[in-house]
Amino acid sequence: MTNFNFRRFGLLLKRDLMGNSKKYLLLLAGMFIAYFCIELMLFYFPSVEGSGLGYPWDEPWSRLLERAAFSFLGVSLCLFVFGMSLVFSTLKTKEQRVDYLMLPATRLEKFVSRWLIAIVLWSVGAFVTFVAADLVRMLVFPLLGHSIPSAIPAYVGLVWDEGTNMLAELMWIGCDGEDSLAMWFGFLFYLSVHSAYLLGSAFFRKQPFIFTSVAGIMLLTLTGFAMPIFRKVNRALIGEDFYSMWLYVVLLLLLCFVVVCYRLSYRLFSRVQVVQNKWFNV
């Protein structure tokens, strides 16, 4: 089997979802609890006197819901990154690796199926659990004397507006070059973080999210120490007029980093053995 077969790929997805259904339900339950706790922190205000509930500031609900929507969006982006660190979590035990190697499917089909499940589960699942948490909050709060509108319209509107603005700036529509380059930098930087955690999931057998985070913090720390030296060299050899040129270099480096992470992740995933190192998938 060398060619990508969509029928076999569909059966592989179905088998993965059914075989790991309990694990996925636990992950969705954890996402629901996270969103509900954030709802409580953002919308619940303690009682002022007796049974009467008051609010510490007089602010239109629209502004409060708008701020909450930004918080929910930030949490969703963090959950997407965490989800990528669990892409290959089904290969931890010896039995799981034997079962993986015996599957009648190509390596590419297995890799894409795990990647697709992670993307769909953590994007669709995040939105569904957020909606469920918001609806539960709206059912519970009236019993406590609260009456706060739903945050779903504000969140959906924010995601739509930010998504359309991002696409417009990435395509250089209705914006100048600096704004478009800044948007490309943000997009590729987040994509590089995403791919780094994918590589961490393929490389680390235990606690891939923690170890990848530690490695990322160390890398950012070294980069921070190197920035003053880079600025001095840039001013001495190139000058300020060519400083913007380095932004294109950074964008290219980020793109190469994403490609390398995906390539290495696929190579590590393809070389899974029954007996492996205790800490690393090598």
Side-chain angles (χ1 to χ4, degrees):
M1 294 179 293
T2 57
N3 298 326
F4 193 95
N5 186 282
F6 285 97
R7 181 179 180 276
R8 194 167 55 230
F9 177 71
L11 294 175
L12 193 63
L13 288 175
K14 181 180 179 180
R15 181 188 180 279
D16 195 319
L17 290 173
M18 295 180 63
N20 300 293
S21 57
K22 292 183 179 180
K23 177 183 178 180
Y24 295 148
L25 289 176
L26 288 175
L27 290 174
L28 292 175
M31 295 164 67
F32 170 82
I33 294 174
Y35 279 117
F36 188 71
C37 291
I38 295 172
E39 292 255 354
L40 293 179
M41 289 188 293
L42 292 174
F43 296 133
Y44 181 80
F45 303 104
S47 174
V48 175
E49 50 183 41
S51 60
L53 295 175
Y55 301 99
W57 65 79
D58 183 16
E59 182 178 40
W61 292 127
S62 59
R63 294 182 60 188
L64 177 61
L65 293 173
E66 182 180 353
R67 294 178 181 179
F70 277 100
S71 300
F72 293 134
L73 181 59
V75 172
S76 298
L77 294 176
C78 293
L79 286 176
F80 297 158
V81 171
F82 179 74
M84 293 305 291
S85 68
L86 301 177
V87 171
F88 305 122
S89 59
T90 56
L91 301 176
K92 288 184 178 181
T93 65
K94 180 180 179 180
E95 292 76 13
Q96 289 175 332
R97 292 191 293 273
V98 171
D99 183 62
Y100 157 76
L101 292 173
M102 295 297 292
L103 286 175
T106 64
R107 296 173 179 177
L108 181 61
E109 291 168 353
K110 298 174 184 178
F111 179 84
V112 176
S113 67
R114 292 298 308 159
W115 178 86
L116 185 62
I117 287 177
I119 294 296
V120 173
L121 179 68
W122 289 92
S123 55
V124 177
F127 180 75
V128 171
T129 52
F130 160 71
V131 172
D134 192 68
L135 293 177
V136 172
R137 187 264 304 171
M138 292 183 65
L139 292 175
V140 173
F141 270 31
L143 302 177
L144 305 176
H146 293 259
S147 180
I148 302 177
S150 173
I152 298 175
Y155 179 74
V156 173
L158 175 66
V159 172
W160 177 261
D161 293 339
E162 292 297 324
T164 53
N165 291 336
M166 183 185 72
L167 290 176
E169 292 187 6
L170 290 178
M171 298 177 65
W172 297 61
I173 299 176
C175 63
D176 55 23
E178 294 183 357
D179 292 339
S180 182
L181 289 177
M183 182 58 69
W184 271 106
F185 174 79
F187 174 74
L188 288 178
F189 181 78
Y190 180 76
L191 194 60
S192 64
V193 174
H194 216 251
S195 59
Y197 279 90
L198 175 67
L199 178 59
S201 177
F203 183 70
F204 298 108
R205 284 192 59 196
K206 297 183 178 180
Q207 305 298 334
F209 179 79
I210 296 177
F211 285 115
T212 306
S213 299
V214 172
I217 292 173
M218 294 176 60
L219 180 61
L220 291 176
T221 302
L222 294 176
T223 304
F225 283 121
M227 283 303 296
I229 301 176
F230 168 76
R231 290 176 180 175
K232 291 181 180 179
V233 173
N234 178 72
R235 291 172 181 173
L237 300 180
I238 300 179
E240 297 291 344
D241 295 337
F242 295 91
Y243 188 76
S244 60
M245 178 190 69
W246 287 105
L247 184 56
Y248 289 96
V249 177
V250 172
L251 294 179
L252 181 60
L253 290 176
L254 289 176
L255 181 60
C256 292
F257 180 80
V258 172
V259 174
V260 169
C261 284
Y262 269 85
R263 178 60 180 171
L264 291 178
S265 299
Y266 179 71
R267 287 177 65 88
L268 289 172
F269 182 75
S270 301
R271 296 182 178 182
V272 171
Q273 302 296 325
V274 175
V275 180
Q276 289 186 303
N277 187 279
K278 182 179 180 181
W279 294 97
F280 309 107
N281 290 322
V282 292

